[in-house]
């Protein structure tokens, strides 16, 4: 294969090696060290919040948000079905019950259906939202899919009206913010009760693996930091008064993160510029269009979504992905819907419609910050050619 254009790879063109080498030379490589504190400070300053806890992963951050929210066995948590499964698995860690909700055209959870669910399936008793089964609906996990802000004005109102805790999964949305409306200037992950970020290898910045969490209540942030280091009350005599977790980020990871934070705005600028090029190149293309991001926001545009006219194709999305891979273009389907996964096949579903459609037709296209204009043009040519081939094949068969 002469050419290979990856979907999304990390970019280490700054001080990453310098800071990692420094951490290693100092001998601080595990869950303690100055780079952890430095990364937390830089994140807090960037997000305009008072405190942030660096943790092992976005998944661990969501888990700690649920723990801190008091989610207990049998409680219900409203979650999207159109997302990566890591956003939902922590609900199972707490032996709680996920309620799968549909998306709207933003690919994020549909606030209208959440409101209908609360009105039709639940009642408010003593400032708690009670499902018709008798379970408490304790929290809602809202995912800002691909860096696209969900409708937070509606979700904050719903959380206040129906008495559930609002956890923002901003694992794909570091740097996304409102530039209009009542939350103008507020960043994804800083509007709800909790906000969680991920620094996995394909995210806008990476620490290899890792994440972070913040909360409106500073006492909760402090308690999460305590829980993430095995709830150590007395480090000399090893006294632990609560069940803790091994969820703290390592200093070596944080060293990477400090360097990546120095590049974040540059990375976002490149993502936005490349997105606009894709949009222009796919404009007026019959078989696919690049989806927009929410009006009134500035998105980090982490991933780009091509909505394919699958009704005009003679194939499945999988066939398209395989064919493009043979041409050196790495793409991926959006996600397999979580309610269809084996661990969740008995879960509660609520009016799932658009998620079924989008899961069958969204293709993520190469979006690394290092991708060149020439490579983007090559990607678009190959995608158009493949889709036209499959469309011609369908017409000829009819």
């Amino acid at each position: 294969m002469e050419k290979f254009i990856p979907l999304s790879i990390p970019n280490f063109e700054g001080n990453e090696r310098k800071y990692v080498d420094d951490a290693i030379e100092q001998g601080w490589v595990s869950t303690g060290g100055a780079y952890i504190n430095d990364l937390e400070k830089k994140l807090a300053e960037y997000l305009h919040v008072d405190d942030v806890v660096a943790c092992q992963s976005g998944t661990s951050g969501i888990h700690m948000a649920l723990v801190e929210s008091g989610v207990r066995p049998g409680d219900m948590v409203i979650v999207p079905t159109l997302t990566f499964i890591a956003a939902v698995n922590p609900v199972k860690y707490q032996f709680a019950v996920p309620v799968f909700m549909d998306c709207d055209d933003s690919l994020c959870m549909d606030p209208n259906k959440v409101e209908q669910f609360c009105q039709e399936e639940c009642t408010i008793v003593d400032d708690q939202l009670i499902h018709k089964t008798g379970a408490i609906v304790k929290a809602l996990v809202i995912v800002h899919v691909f860096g696209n802000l969900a409708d937070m004005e509606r979700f904050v109102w719903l959380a206040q009206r129906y008495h559930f805790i609002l956890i923002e999964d901003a694992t794909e949305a570091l740097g996304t913010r409102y530039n209009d409306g009542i939350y103008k200037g507020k960043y994804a992950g800083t509007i709800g009760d909790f906000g969680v970020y991920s620094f996995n290898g394909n995210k806008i910045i990476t620490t290899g693996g890792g994440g972070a969490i913040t909360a409106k209540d500073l006492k909760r942030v402090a308690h999460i930091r305590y829980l993430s280091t095995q709830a150590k009350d007395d480090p000399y005599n090893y006294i632990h008064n609560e069940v803790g977790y091994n969820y703290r980020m390592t200093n070596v990871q944080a060293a990477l993160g400090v360097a990546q934070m120095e590049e974040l705005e540059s990375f976002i600028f490149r993502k936005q510029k490349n997105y606009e090029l894709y949009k222009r190149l796919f404009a007026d293309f019959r078989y696919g269009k690049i989806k927009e991001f929410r009006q009134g926001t500035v998105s980090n545009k982490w991933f780009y979504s091509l909505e394919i006219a699958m009704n005009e194709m003679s194939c499945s999305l999988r066939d398209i992905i395989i064919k493009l891979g043979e041409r050196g273009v790495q793409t991926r389907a959006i996600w397999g819907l979580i309610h269809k996964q084996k661990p969740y096949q008995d879960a509660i579903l609520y009016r799932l419609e658009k998620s079924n459609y989008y899961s069958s037709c969204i293709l993520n296209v190469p979006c690394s910050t290092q991708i060149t204009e020439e490579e983007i043009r090559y990607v678009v040519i190959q995608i158009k050619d493949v889709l036209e081939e499959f469309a011609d094949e369908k017409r000829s068969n009819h």
Side-chain angles (χ1 to χ4, degrees), residues 377-389:
R377 291 183 181 276
Y378 176 82
V379 167
V380 173
I381 289 169
Q382 299 310 312
I383 291 175
K384 286 183 175 181
D385 191 45
V386 167
L387 295 184
E388 285 167 350
E389 279 185 16

mmCIF file with all atom_site columns, all heavy atoms in Angstrom, residues 377-389:
data_model
loop_
_atom_site.group_PDB
_atom_site.id
_atom_site.type_symbol
_atom_site.label_atom_id
_atom_site.label_alt_id
_atom_site.label_comp_id
_atom_site.label_asym_id
_atom_site.label_entity_id
_atom_site.label_seq_id
_atom_site.pdbx_PDB_ins_code
_atom_site.Cartn_x
_atom_site.Cartn_y
_atom_site.Cartn_z
_atom_site.occupancy
_atom_site.B_iso_or_equiv
_atom_site.pdbx_formal_charge
_atom_site.auth_seq_id
_atom_site.auth_comp_id
_atom_site.auth_asym_id
_atom_site.auth_atom_id
_atom_site.pdbx_PDB_model_num
ATOM 1   N N   . ARG A 1 377 ? -7.568  16.014 0.558  1.00 0.00 ? 377 ARG A N   1
ATOM 2   C CA  . ARG A 1 377 ? -8.100  15.946 -0.805 1.00 0.00 ? 377 ARG A CA  1
ATOM 3   C C   . ARG A 1 377 ? -8.065  14.503 -1.324 1.00 0.00 ? 377 ARG A C   1
ATOM 4   O O   . ARG A 1 377 ? -9.006  14.062 -2.003 1.00 0.00 ? 377 ARG A O   1
ATOM 5   C CB  . ARG A 1 377 ? -7.323  16.880 -1.726 1.00 0.00 ? 377 ARG A CB  1
ATOM 6   C CG  . ARG A 1 377 ? -7.568  18.360 -1.412 1.00 0.00 ? 377 ARG A CG  1
ATOM 7   C CD  . ARG A 1 377 ? -6.863  19.285 -2.369 1.00 0.00 ? 377 ARG A CD  1
ATOM 8   N NE  . ARG A 1 377 ? -7.105  20.675 -2.016 1.00 0.00 ? 377 ARG A NE  1
ATOM 9   C CZ  . ARG A 1 377 ? -8.174  21.385 -2.373 1.00 0.00 ? 377 ARG A CZ  1
ATOM 10  N NH1 . ARG A 1 377 ? -9.112  20.810 -3.126 1.00 0.00 ? 377 ARG A NH1 1
ATOM 11  N NH2 . ARG A 1 377 ? -8.324  22.635 -2.003 1.00 0.00 ? 377 ARG A NH2 1
ATOM 12  N N   . TYR A 1 378 ? -7.019  13.766 -0.988 1.00 0.00 ? 378 TYR A N   1
ATOM 13  C CA  . TYR A 1 378 ? -6.931  12.358 -1.382 1.00 0.00 ? 378 TYR A CA  1
ATOM 14  C C   . TYR A 1 378 ? -8.048  11.550 -0.725 1.00 0.00 ? 378 TYR A C   1
ATOM 15  O O   . TYR A 1 378 ? -8.710  10.729 -1.380 1.00 0.00 ? 378 TYR A O   1
ATOM 16  C CB  . TYR A 1 378 ? -5.562  11.794 -0.988 1.00 0.00 ? 378 TYR A CB  1
ATOM 17  C CG  . TYR A 1 378 ? -5.414  10.316 -1.264 1.00 0.00 ? 378 TYR A CG  1
ATOM 18  C CD1 . TYR A 1 378 ? -5.091  9.851  -2.532 1.00 0.00 ? 378 TYR A CD1 1
ATOM 19  C CD2 . TYR A 1 378 ? -5.601  9.374  -0.251 1.00 0.00 ? 378 TYR A CD2 1
ATOM 20  C CE1 . TYR A 1 378 ? -4.964  8.489  -2.799 1.00 0.00 ? 378 TYR A CE1 1
ATOM 21  C CE2 . TYR A 1 378 ? -5.488  8.012  -0.497 1.00 0.00 ? 378 TYR A CE2 1
ATOM 22  C CZ  . TYR A 1 378 ? -5.170  7.575  -1.771 1.00 0.00 ? 378 TYR A CZ  1
ATOM 23  O OH  . TYR A 1 378 ? -5.047  6.227  -2.016 1.00 0.00 ? 378 TYR A OH  1
ATOM 24  N N   . VAL A 1 379 ? -8.259  11.787 0.582  1.00 0.00 ? 379 VAL A N   1
ATOM 25  C CA  . VAL A 1 379 ? -9.318  11.083 1.316  1.00 0.00 ? 379 VAL A CA  1
ATOM 26  C C   . VAL A 1 379 ? -10.670 11.327 0.654  1.00 0.00 ? 379 VAL A C   1
ATOM 27  O O   . VAL A 1 379 ? -11.445 10.381 0.417  1.00 0.00 ? 379 VAL A O   1
ATOM 28  C CB  . VAL A 1 379 ? -9.356  11.547 2.798  1.00 0.00 ? 379 VAL A CB  1
ATOM 29  C CG1 . VAL A 1 379 ? -10.634 11.065 3.479  1.00 0.00 ? 379 VAL A CG1 1
ATOM 30  C CG2 . VAL A 1 379 ? -8.133  11.042 3.548  1.00 0.00 ? 379 VAL A CG2 1
ATOM 31  N N   . VAL A 1 380 ? -10.966 12.574 0.349  1.00 0.00 ? 380 VAL A N   1
ATOM 32  C CA  . VAL A 1 380 ? -12.262 12.917 -0.236 1.00 0.00 ? 380 VAL A CA  1
ATOM 33  C C   . VAL A 1 380 ? -12.433 12.263 -1.607 1.00 0.00 ? 380 VAL A C   1
ATOM 34  O O   . VAL A 1 380 ? -13.515 11.731 -1.922 1.00 0.00 ? 380 VAL A O   1
ATOM 35  C CB  . VAL A 1 380 ? -12.434 14.445 -0.312 1.00 0.00 ? 380 VAL A CB  1
ATOM 36  C CG1 . VAL A 1 380 ? -13.713 14.804 -1.077 1.00 0.00 ? 380 VAL A CG1 1
ATOM 37  C CG2 . VAL A 1 380 ? -12.469 15.048 1.094  1.00 0.00 ? 380 VAL A CG2 1
ATOM 38  N N   . ILE A 1 381 ? -11.390 12.286 -2.426 1.00 0.00 ? 381 ILE A N   1
ATOM 39  C CA  . ILE A 1 381 ? -11.462 11.646 -3.742 1.00 0.00 ? 381 ILE A CA  1
ATOM 40  C C   . ILE A 1 381 ? -11.770 10.159 -3.598 1.00 0.00 ? 381 ILE A C   1
ATOM 41  O O   . ILE A 1 381 ? -12.630 9.614  -4.313 1.00 0.00 ? 381 ILE A O   1
ATOM 42  C CB  . ILE A 1 381 ? -10.139 11.854 -4.513 1.00 0.00 ? 381 ILE A CB  1
ATOM 43  C CG1 . ILE A 1 381 ? -10.013 13.319 -4.956 1.00 0.00 ? 381 ILE A CG1 1
ATOM 44  C CG2 . ILE A 1 381 ? -10.064 10.926 -5.726 1.00 0.00 ? 381 ILE A CG2 1
ATOM 45  C CD1 . ILE A 1 381 ? -8.636  13.679 -5.489 1.00 0.00 ? 381 ILE A CD1 1
ATOM 46  N N   . GLN A 1 382 ? -11.085 9.495  -2.660 1.00 0.00 ? 382 GLN A N   1
ATOM 47  C CA  . GLN A 1 382 ? -11.291 8.055  -2.485 1.00 0.00 ? 382 GLN A CA  1
ATOM 48  C C   . GLN A 1 382 ? -12.695 7.754  -1.963 1.00 0.00 ? 382 GLN A C   1
ATOM 49  O O   . GLN A 1 382 ? -13.343 6.801  -2.410 1.00 0.00 ? 382 GLN A O   1
ATOM 50  C CB  . GLN A 1 382 ? -10.233 7.486  -1.533 1.00 0.00 ? 382 GLN A CB  1
ATOM 51  C CG  . GLN A 1 382 ? -8.803  7.634  -2.015 1.00 0.00 ? 382 GLN A CG  1
ATOM 52  C CD  . GLN A 1 382 ? -8.621  7.149  -3.436 1.00 0.00 ? 382 GLN A CD  1
ATOM 53  O OE1 . GLN A 1 382 ? -9.062  6.058  -3.807 1.00 0.00 ? 382 GLN A OE1 1
ATOM 54  N NE2 . GLN A 1 382 ? -7.974  7.977  -4.259 1.00 0.00 ? 382 GLN A NE2 1
ATOM 55  N N   . ILE A 1 383 ? -13.175 8.548  -1.008 1.00 0.00 ? 383 ILE A N   1
ATOM 56  C CA  . ILE A 1 383 ? -14.523 8.322  -0.468 1.00 0.00 ? 383 ILE A CA  1
ATOM 57  C C   . ILE A 1 383 ? -15.570 8.523  -1.556 1.00 0.00 ? 383 ILE A C   1
ATOM 58  O O   . ILE A 1 383 ? -16.478 7.695  -1.741 1.00 0.00 ? 383 ILE A O   1
ATOM 59  C CB  . ILE A 1 383 ? -14.799 9.250  0.732  1.00 0.00 ? 383 ILE A CB  1
ATOM 60  C CG1 . ILE A 1 383 ? -13.922 8.847  1.936  1.00 0.00 ? 383 ILE A CG1 1
ATOM 61  C CG2 . ILE A 1 383 ? -16.282 9.205  1.118  1.00 0.00 ? 383 ILE A CG2 1
ATOM 62  C CD1 . ILE A 1 383 ? -14.037 9.782  3.122  1.00 0.00 ? 383 ILE A CD1 1
ATOM 63  N N   . LYS A 1 384 ? -15.454 9.596  -2.305 1.00 0.00 ? 384 LYS A N   1
ATOM 64  C CA  . LYS A 1 384 ? -16.419 9.845  -3.382 1.00 0.00 ? 384 LYS A CA  1
ATOM 65  C C   . LYS A 1 384 ? -16.397 8.713  -4.405 1.00 0.00 ? 384 LYS A C   1
ATOM 66  O O   . LYS A 1 384 ? -17.459 8.245  -4.863 1.00 0.00 ? 384 LYS A O   1
ATOM 67  C CB  . LYS A 1 384 ? -16.110 11.181 -4.061 1.00 0.00 ? 384 LYS A CB  1
ATOM 68  C CG  . LYS A 1 384 ? -16.491 12.407 -3.234 1.00 0.00 ? 384 LYS A CG  1
ATOM 69  C CD  . LYS A 1 384 ? -16.212 13.686 -4.006 1.00 0.00 ? 384 LYS A CD  1
ATOM 70  C CE  . LYS A 1 384 ? -16.707 14.909 -3.247 1.00 0.00 ? 384 LYS A CE  1
ATOM 71  N NZ  . LYS A 1 384 ? -16.454 16.167 -3.998 1.00 0.00 ? 384 LYS A NZ  1
ATOM 72  N N   . ASP A 1 385 ? -15.207 8.280  -4.746 1.00 0.00 ? 385 ASP A N   1
ATOM 73  C CA  . ASP A 1 385 ? -15.081 7.213  -5.748 1.00 0.00 ? 385 ASP A CA  1
ATOM 74  C C   . ASP A 1 385 ? -15.728 5.917  -5.267 1.00 0.00 ? 385 ASP A C   1
ATOM 75  O O   . ASP A 1 385 ? -16.477 5.262  -6.008 1.00 0.00 ? 385 ASP A O   1
ATOM 76  C CB  . ASP A 1 385 ? -13.603 6.994  -6.064 1.00 0.00 ? 385 ASP A CB  1
ATOM 77  C CG  . ASP A 1 385 ? -13.401 6.102  -7.274 1.00 0.00 ? 385 ASP A CG  1
ATOM 78  O OD1 . ASP A 1 385 ? -14.084 6.312  -8.287 1.00 0.00 ? 385 ASP A OD1 1
ATOM 79  O OD2 . ASP A 1 385 ? -12.551 5.180  -7.204 1.00 0.00 ? 385 ASP A OD2 1
ATOM 80  N N   . VAL A 1 386 ? -15.457 5.547  -4.007 1.00 0.00 ? 386 VAL A N   1
ATOM 81  C CA  . VAL A 1 386 ? -16.028 4.317  -3.448 1.00 0.00 ? 386 VAL A CA  1
ATOM 82  C C   . VAL A 1 386 ? -17.546 4.401  -3.369 1.00 0.00 ? 386 VAL A C   1
ATOM 83  O O   . VAL A 1 386 ? -18.265 3.458  -3.739 1.00 0.00 ? 386 VAL A O   1
ATOM 84  C CB  . VAL A 1 386 ? -15.409 4.026  -2.061 1.00 0.00 ? 386 VAL A CB  1
ATOM 85  C CG1 . VAL A 1 386 ? -16.208 2.953  -1.319 1.00 0.00 ? 386 VAL A CG1 1
ATOM 86  C CG2 . VAL A 1 386 ? -13.953 3.582  -2.197 1.00 0.00 ? 386 VAL A CG2 1
ATOM 87  N N   . LEU A 1 387 ? -18.064 5.531  -2.876 1.00 0.00 ? 387 LEU A N   1
ATOM 88  C CA  . LEU A 1 387 ? -19.513 5.672  -2.749 1.00 0.00 ? 387 LEU A CA  1
ATOM 89  C C   . LEU A 1 387 ? -20.191 5.674  -4.120 1.00 0.00 ? 387 LEU A C   1
ATOM 90  O O   . LEU A 1 387 ? -21.284 5.100  -4.288 1.00 0.00 ? 387 LEU A O   1
ATOM 91  C CB  . LEU A 1 387 ? -19.860 6.945  -1.979 1.00 0.00 ? 387 LEU A CB  1
ATOM 92  C CG  . LEU A 1 387 ? -19.408 6.989  -0.504 1.00 0.00 ? 387 LEU A CG  1
ATOM 93  C CD1 . LEU A 1 387 ? -19.897 8.270  0.162  1.00 0.00 ? 387 LEU A CD1 1
ATOM 94  C CD2 . LEU A 1 387 ? -19.901 5.774  0.271  1.00 0.00 ? 387 LEU A CD2 1
ATOM 95  N N   . GLU A 1 388 ? -19.571 6.308  -5.087 1.00 0.00 ? 388 GLU A N   1
ATOM 96  C CA  . GLU A 1 388 ? -20.144 6.319  -6.434 1.00 0.00 ? 388 GLU A CA  1
ATOM 97  C C   . GLU A 1 388 ? -20.149 4.917  -7.033 1.00 0.00 ? 388 GLU A C   1
ATOM 98  O O   . GLU A 1 388 ? -21.104 4.534  -7.732 1.00 0.00 ? 388 GLU A O   1
ATOM 99  C CB  . GLU A 1 388 ? -19.382 7.309  -7.311 1.00 0.00 ? 388 GLU A CB  1
ATOM 100 C CG  . GLU A 1 388 ? -19.736 8.765  -6.994 1.00 0.00 ? 388 GLU A CG  1
ATOM 101 C CD  . GLU A 1 388 ? -18.783 9.770  -7.620 1.00 0.00 ? 388 GLU A CD  1
ATOM 102 O OE1 . GLU A 1 388 ? -17.728 9.339  -8.158 1.00 0.00 ? 388 GLU A OE1 1
ATOM 103 O OE2 . GLU A 1 388 ? -19.081 10.981 -7.566 1.00 0.00 ? 388 GLU A OE2 1
ATOM 104 N N   . GLU A 1 389 ? -19.111 4.145  -6.751 1.00 0.00 ? 389 GLU A N   1
ATOM 105 C CA  . GLU A 1 389 ? -19.066 2.763  -7.233 1.00 0.00 ? 389 GLU A CA  1
ATOM 106 C C   . GLU A 1 389 ? -20.218 1.938  -6.654 1.00 0.00 ? 389 GLU A C   1
ATOM 107 O O   . GLU A 1 389 ? -20.911 1.214  -7.388 1.00 0.00 ? 389 GLU A O   1
ATOM 108 C CB  . GLU A 1 389 ? -17.732 2.112  -6.835 1.00 0.00 ? 389 GLU A CB  1
ATOM 109 C CG  . GLU A 1 389 ? -16.570 2.447  -7.734 1.00 0.00 ? 389 GLU A CG  1
ATOM 110 C CD  . GLU A 1 389 ? -15.325 1.665  -7.359 1.00 0.00 ? 389 GLU A CD  1
ATOM 111 O OE1 . GLU A 1 389 ? -15.440 0.670  -6.617 1.00 0.00 ? 389 GLU A OE1 1
ATOM 112 O OE2 . GLU A 1 389 ? -14.233 2.059  -7.803 1.00 0.00 ? 389 GLU A OE2 1
#
